[in-house]
Amino acid sequence: MNVNKKTLKLATTLIAPRAASGGWRHPLANLYLEEPGQLYKQLIKKAEQGRLDYVFQPDQYRVSATFPEEFAHTINVWLEPITLLSAMSAVSEHIGLAATLSTTYNEPYHVARMLASLDHLSKGRASWNVVTSRGDSEASNFKMDHRPTSDERDKHSALFVDIVKSLWDSWENDAIVANKTTGIFAHPEKIHAVNHESEWFSVKGPLNIARPPQGHPVIIQAGQSDAFKERAARSADIIFTMLNTLSEAQVFYQNVKSRLVKYGRSKSDLLIMPGLQIIVGKTEKEAYEKQQYIQELERLDIRRDRLAYLLGIDIGNLSLDAPLPEVASNDMNEKYRKLKELAEQKGWKTIRELYTYLEATTGHLLLVGTPTQIADQMEEWLRKEGADGFIFIPHILPSGLDDFVDHVIPVLQERGIFRKDYEGSTLRENLGLTCPKNTYHR
């Protein structure tokens, strides 16, 4: 491979079959209920066989159900990411391990400690997907009087991340000497208190774990807003976002990359990796038949929590074939107001009609076709600066990951736009990201 040639960064989620409400019914879907460890071991090894950069475990602190039918038809059980990925660190050697942890429902010291532990256990392969738990549905599982309001969560999260990084830096790289002859375990002058006091946090430090092998585990953040782009340009290593067209992606890419210089960062210091779903077949016809079957499975049930998210309002017990609800103008959600105006323009009368439109026009980039057709589009996004890579979200596991690794990855490798072997031993090395300097070191 030409080392000077730009290559794709690729990851995969382990979320399926929860990713699709009806996907668990697919004959090829493994439910992992009886032996989750065996399934995840199989998935990790397959992803590593494909030389993917990392596996990415999404998470939320609630079930995806508010009505009995949603418990009846939708998967509402999954494993906690840190526990899962710590176990997977023992059955893998090269692939990165990305865990989702909320800044709203955790404390900086806990997060710093868990991710530092994962980084040590995996010898430098840990990553943190930072989320703020934007909705209120998770709040019912936590005492809220000391937590930020929805409007404050971005500011709270930015400070949270800064404190975590300070805790990772609280032990300098050479602080520990463990000299049995002299009896000196560590140099006190190389161990630093954080001494942070603010409205939300009280963190003295230092951390009780040595600095992580990567300095800082890789930071992933998700979003699209202007304020998000600025935060990501300052502190993220990877952006996970939702982009459906190349033209839209190119605008996003250039906007974000142009912000990096003010923070003393280069374009390669922040990777943009949109979500990607693929359905691959030996022929185009076979691929579209697979897609149709998956869609039919998902039509059994429409999750009301997802519907409420897409509409921006709670529809309560209304039938999907009920007319679009009226909401008092002074209370009407801006998102729903615009959608209702669109529905009136299009002549859509029911909740189902608007939902059908939203499902077709929202979500991650979907590529359907042969391995060559899919590789063509992935390469175009790379060449034309729509993305640095993708986070692949399988509809079905393990078959979806098998299809990606066995059929699409070889085409990308033959074109020289994806690795045939890992370049380094840590996730940062494989992603081409530098190790952050310790802020306390002089």
Side-chain angles (χ1 to χ4, degrees):
M1 181 184 294
N2 181 352
V3 295
N4 296 317
K5 188 176 183 180
K6 188 176 181 183
T7 56
L8 285 164
K9 310 302 180 186
L10 295 174
T12 187
T13 66
L14 303 179
I15 192 172
R18 185 165 59 88
S21 58
W24 63 270
R25 301 171 59 221
H26 197 287
L28 298 178
N30 187 318
L31 292 188
Y32 70 82
L33 295 176
E34 294 181 2
E35 294 186 354
Q38 286 300 110
L39 173 63
Y40 280 111
K41 180 178 178 180
Q42 174 187 346
L43 296 174
I44 290 284
K45 287 187 174 296
K46 191 67 180 184
E48 200 164 61
Q49 175 191 328
R51 304 297 189 261
L52 301 189
D53 287 284
Y54 58 93
V55 293
F56 171 51
Q57 184 64 35
D59 194 29
Q60 56 191 18
Y61 305 128
R62 63 179 177 91
V63 294
S64 300
T66 52
F67 294 88
E69 63 267 26
E70 293 170 324
F71 281 108
H73 300 306
T74 305
I75 286 184
N76 273 294
V77 290
W78 55 92
L79 299 182
E80 187 279 317
I82 290 290
T83 307
L84 168 63
L85 296 178
S86 294
M88 292 303 102
S89 70
V91 298
S92 57
E93 296 181 14
H94 304 286
I95 197 162
L97 307 167
T100 299
L101 290 166
S102 170
T103 54
T104 301
Y105 301 116
N106 283 291
E107 291 291 332
Y109 200 93
H110 288 144
V111 169
R113 194 169 182 235
M114 288 188 290
L115 287 163
S117 296
L118 180 59
D119 208 46
H120 280 287
L121 289 171
S122 64
K123 298 181 180 179
R125 294 185 282 131
S127 176
W128 175 23
N129 175 45
V130 181
V131 298
T132 61
S133 303
R134 182 65 66 181
D136 291 329
S137 56
E138 291 166 290
S140 60
N141 291 317
F142 299 90
K143 187 173 175 60
M144 292 298 296
D145 58 0
H146 62 295
R147 301 184 191 277
T149 64
S150 295
D151 292 340
E152 295 172 323
R153 287 183 190 179
D154 287 338
K155 181 180 178 181
H156 172 274
S157 182
L159 182 56
F160 190 113
V161 172
D162 287 344
I163 295 170
V164 168
K165 289 181 176 180
S166 293
L167 286 166
W168 286 334
D169 286 345
S170 61
W171 291 71
E172 294 186 34
N173 290 351
D174 57 351
I176 298 173
V177 292
N179 190 315
K180 294 182 179 181
T181 302
T182 63
I184 301 296
F185 179 77
H187 296 301
E189 69 276 12
K190 294 180 180 292
I191 306 166
H192 307 276
V194 174
N195 289 327
H196 176 91
E197 288 288 341
S198 63
E199 176 185 2
W200 294 303
F201 306 111
S202 177
V203 183
K204 181 180 179 182
L207 199 62
N208 57 0
I209 296 177
R211 194 168 193 245
Q214 295 185 101
H216 300 167
V218 172
I219 300 291
I220 304 170
Q221 296 192 35
Q224 286 191 337
S225 71
D226 196 64
F228 164 77
K229 293 172 188 173
E230 197 66 29
R231 291 196 308 276
R234 183 178 74 88
S235 62
D237 298 306
I238 296 172
I239 289 179
F240 172 44
T241 191
M242 191 180 295
L243 299 166
N244 286 284
T245 67
L246 178 56
S247 59
E248 173 192 21
Q250 288 172 317
V251 172
F252 182 90
Y253 189 98
Q254 293 301 325
N255 186 298
V256 171
K257 298 283 185 173
S258 67
R259 299 169 187 257
L260 293 167
V261 64
K262 74 177 72 172
Y263 300 108
R265 307 180 73 193
S266 68
K267 288 185 177 182
S268 61
D269 289 333
L270 177 59
L271 303 173
I272 297 176
M273 300 179 68
L276 170 67
Q277 294 183 308
I278 70 163
I279 300 177
V280 61
K282 294 178 182 177
T283 65
E284 188 175 349
K285 181 175 182 292
E286 179 184 281
Y288 279 100
E289 287 174 348
K290 284 184 176 182
Q291 180 189 25
Q292 183 177 2
Y293 182 55
I294 291 171
Q295 289 174 337
E296 288 172 355
L297 291 174
E298 294 178 1
R299 288 194 185 110
L300 175 68
D301 175 54
I302 295 175
R303 280 173 32 195
R304 286 177 181 267
D305 70 315
R306 172 151 177 79
L307 178 56
Y309 169 77
L310 291 174
L311 292 179
I313 61 168
D314 183 2
I315 66 166
N317 290 308
L318 289 175
S319 163
L320 294 173
D321 294 309
L324 288 164
E326 296 292 336
V327 181
S329 59
N330 59 335
D331 295 327
M332 184 176 286
N333 182 292
E334 180 69 11
K335 181 179 182 180
Y336 180 64
R337 184 184 66 78
K338 291 180 178 179
L339 289 172
K340 197 165 187 299
E341 288 177 357
L342 175 65
E344 290 169 355
Q345 294 170 8
K346 298 290 187 181
W348 300 328
K349 304 294 186 184
T350 67
I351 295 172
R352 188 184 300 275
E353 288 175 299
L354 183 54
Y355 174 80
T356 301
Y357 162 78
L358 291 171
E359 280 289 9
T361 56
T362 59
H364 294 285
L365 174 65
L366 173 63
L367 302 181
V368 183
T370 65
T372 298
Q373 289 173 327
I374 290 169
D376 285 344
Q377 293 181 73
M378 293 175 69
E379 181 172 9
E380 184 180 23
W381 279 56
L382 176 69
R383 297 275 181 247
K384 295 183 178 179
E385 295 193 329
D388 296 306
F390 298 95
I391 297 178
F392 169 53
I393 306 169
H395 287 87
I396 307 297
L397 285 175
S399 63
L401 181 58
D402 291 341
D403 284 345
F404 188 59
V405 170
D406 294 340
H407 303 301
V408 179
I409 292 294
V411 179
L412 299 173
Q413 290 173 327
E414 286 305 310
R415 296 183 184 191
I417 57 172
F418 189 63
R419 68 166 67 86
K420 292 186 177 180
D421 207 351
Y422 289 101
E423 297 87 356
S425 59
T426 70
L427 177 56
R428 283 189 174 275
E429 289 171 342
N430 289 324
L431 290 170
L433 299 171
T434 58
C435 180
K437 294 180 180 178
N438 190 310
T439 53
Y440 294 105
H441 180 72
R442 296 175 183 175

